[in-house]
Amino acid sequence: MSPPTSPRISRRLRIVLSLLILAHLSAVIAPPLAFQSRGPRGLSPSVSLLLSPLTAYGQFLYLDRGYAFFAPDPGPSHLMRVEISSGENNSAEANDANVETRLYPSLDDQWPRLLYHRHFMLAEFLNDAYQPALPGEAAKLVGSDLPIEELKAWRMGRQRYEMIADSMIRHLQKKFDAQDVKIDRLEHMIPDFVPYANEPTPLNDPPTYVLLEDIPITLDTLLGVLPQDLPQPEPRETVPAPSGEPIRDRSATSETTDERERESETTAPIDHQRSVVPPVSEGVSPQ
C-alpha cells in the first residue's frame, strides 16, 4: 500500500495565498505603526500611503488600534476632568459652590470593571482625536511650505475634535441637568523606574496628573521648524568680540587715547648700539 500523498498546490495558488497572508499581516502591522508615527503634523506620509488601502479591511476585522496600552511600556494614560455647574446663581461664590468635579474613568463611579474600561476608552478616544487650533494667519502661509491639502486636514481634524467634545458635553448636560459643562484632558504619568526604586510613591500621586491645556499651535510648529532654524537678520555693523576689560567712560577713554598718541609722536625707537634717551615732551614723564 502506497503512503498517502498530500495534495499538490499549484504555483499560482501559492502566490495568491502568499499575497493574501502578506496583506493580512500588513493590516495587522499598519495601525500600530501609524499610531506610533503620528506627529504634530499628522501621520507619516509613507505610513499613510501603506494604511490607506487597508483601512476598510482593518476596520471590518477591528484591527485599527494602537496596542500601546498592552505594550511592555504603555506610557501615560489619559483622563477627563469634568466640571459640572448648575448655574442657579450668578455670583462667583455661588458658582464655585455649585461646581461639581468628576473624573472619567473613576473606580468610585464606574462599576463593574467593564463600565470603567468603557469610560477609559472614551477618555483615550477624546485625547487621540485632539487637534490644536490653527493660528489666524495660517491661511497666509499656504504655498510650498504649507500645502493647501495639509491646511484642510488640520481644519478637519480640529472640527472633528470639537464635534466629539461637544457631543460629550451635551450628553453630560442632559444626564446631570447642568447648565454649563467643561471638559479638561488630564495625562497620568507613569514614574520612571530609577526614581521609583529610590523613593517609591503611590501611582495616584497628585503630581503625576498633568493638565493638557487647549493651546493653539504656533506657526513655527506648524511649519516644522525651530526658532533657531529661521533666517536671522544680518547685522548692519561689525561688533567686536568682548575683550573682558571693564567699560570706561568715553571722555576718559578719549583723553587716554590722546596721551598715547602724543607719547608715540615724541618717543623715538631705541638704538641697540647706543642707548639714547629721547627728549621728553612737556607733560609726559620719562619711562
Side-chain angles (χ1 to χ4, degrees), residues 20-237:
L20 291 177
I21 293 175
L22 289 176
H24 179 75
L25 290 178
S26 300
V28 174
I29 295 173
L33 185 61
F35 181 82
Q36 296 296 335
S37 61
R38 182 186 298 272
R41 304 181 72 174
L43 289 177
S44 169
S46 57
V47 176
S48 179
L49 182 64
L50 174 64
L51 185 63
S52 56
L54 305 171
T55 302
Y57 180 75
Q59 290 179 352
F60 177 74
L61 295 181
Y62 197 51
L63 300 175
D64 53 337
R65 43 186 166 178
Y67 299 100
F69 178 73
F70 305 98
D73 184 11
S77 60
H78 300 90
L79 301 90
M80 294 186 301
R81 185 180 66 185
V82 179
E83 295 181 356
I84 304 171
S85 176
S86 59
E88 297 177 354
N89 198 328
N90 295 328
S91 62
E93 294 79 5
N95 287 336
D96 293 339
N98 294 330
V99 172
E100 180 184 1
T101 302
R102 289 175 172 266
L103 286 180
Y104 292 94
S106 174
L107 289 175
D108 298 333
D109 298 331
Q110 289 90 44
W111 187 260
R113 187 76 179 189
L114 180 60
L115 188 60
Y116 171 87
H117 184 264
R118 294 297 174 87
H119 285 84
F120 169 77
M121 297 307 296
L122 283 174
E124 291 289 346
F125 176 68
L126 178 65
N127 182 77
D128 185 62
Y130 176 73
Q131 191 89 334
L134 287 171
E137 58 272 18
K140 301 178 182 179
L141 301 178
V142 174
S144 58
D145 295 334
L146 182 63
I148 185 65
E149 293 79 9
E150 187 172 344
L151 182 62
K152 291 180 179 179
W154 268 101
R155 289 178 174 174
M156 290 181 61
R158 178 64 183 184
Q159 292 175 359
R160 177 174 177 266
Y161 167 74
E162 291 179 349
M163 291 176 63
I164 294 173
D166 291 342
S167 175
M168 293 182 177
I169 289 175
R170 290 195 302 269
H171 173 76
L172 293 171
Q173 286 177 338
K174 182 178 180 181
K175 180 179 179 179
F176 295 101
D177 192 19
Q179 183 177 0
D180 188 19
V181 173
K182 179 184 177 183
I183 296 179
D184 291 323
R185 296 177 300 117
L186 299 179
E187 187 171 74
H188 186 196
M189 306 296 296
I190 297 180
D192 294 336
F193 175 75
V194 175
Y196 183 81
N198 295 332
E199 186 179 354
T201 57
L203 295 180
N204 59 350
D205 195 28
T208 60
Y209 293 88
V210 182
L211 174 63
L212 301 178
E213 299 182 1
D214 187 9
I215 302 176
I217 191 172
T218 61
L219 293 178
D220 296 340
T221 306
L222 181 63
L223 296 177
V225 296
L226 299 175
Q228 57 266 27
D229 298 331
L230 298 176
Q232 302 295 330
E234 297 181 358
R236 297 183 179 180
E237 59 181 7

